[in-house]
Amino acid sequence: ASEAEEALEQNALPTRWETLQADDAALPHCHTFTGLEGGMDYAIAIRAVNSVGISDWSPVLARVRTPPSVPDRCPQVGLVAACPVSLRCKIRLPHHNGAPVESLDLLWRYAGG
């Protein structure tokens, strides 16, 4: 395996494959990789394809870290037990997106009935 393939295979997350149609008039070309997660390391490599075959992989642009972002939305709270003067609820942390969750803000109110 080439350096690019080995570097990409070492990542524990799934590898995504994209094909970009080349247009010589548009080169050099910028490409935006989407669907990434904040605060994660990525490795990127490219290779060219033509009617004769496929080139070797480029040197790897490795360990490129996306900046962290706000946590994902919290999962729904689950009821564990209801007592006359209290509610016991199960709370799960959301995905952190590259920066640890430091605290949770809890909100409750009388809902009528």
Side-chain angles (χ1 to χ4, degrees), residues 55-96:
S55 74
D56 290 337
W57 285 100
S58 69
V60 177
L61 176 60
R63 299 197 59 89
V64 179
R65 180 167 287 240
T66 55
S69 63
V70 300
D72 287 350
R73 182 179 187 176
C74 289
Q76 184 173 6
V77 175
L79 180 63
V80 175
C83 300
V85 295
S86 66
L87 297 172
R88 181 169 177 79
C89 296
K90 180 178 181 178
I91 299 171
R92 293 179 292 141
L93 292 178
H95 181 66
H96 54 75

Side-chain angles (χ1 to χ4, degrees), residues 13-87:
L13 296 175
T15 299
R16 287 190 50 199
W17 185 277
E18 295 182 37
T19 298
L20 177 66
Q21 296 303 315
D23 177 0
D24 290 341
L27 296 177
H29 183 81
C30 291
H31 180 70
T32 302
F33 293 89
T34 59
L36 308 181
E37 293 185 29
M40 300 296 290
D41 292 332
Y42 291 91
I44 301 168
I46 63 171
R47 66 183 179 180
V49 179
N50 67 15
S51 62
V52 179
I54 301 171
S55 74
D56 290 337
W57 285 100
S58 69
V60 177
L61 176 60
R63 299 197 59 89
V64 179
R65 180 167 287 240
T66 55
S69 63
V70 300
D72 287 350
R73 182 179 187 176
C74 289
Q76 184 173 6
V77 175
L79 180 63
V80 175
C83 300
V85 295
S86 66
L87 297 172

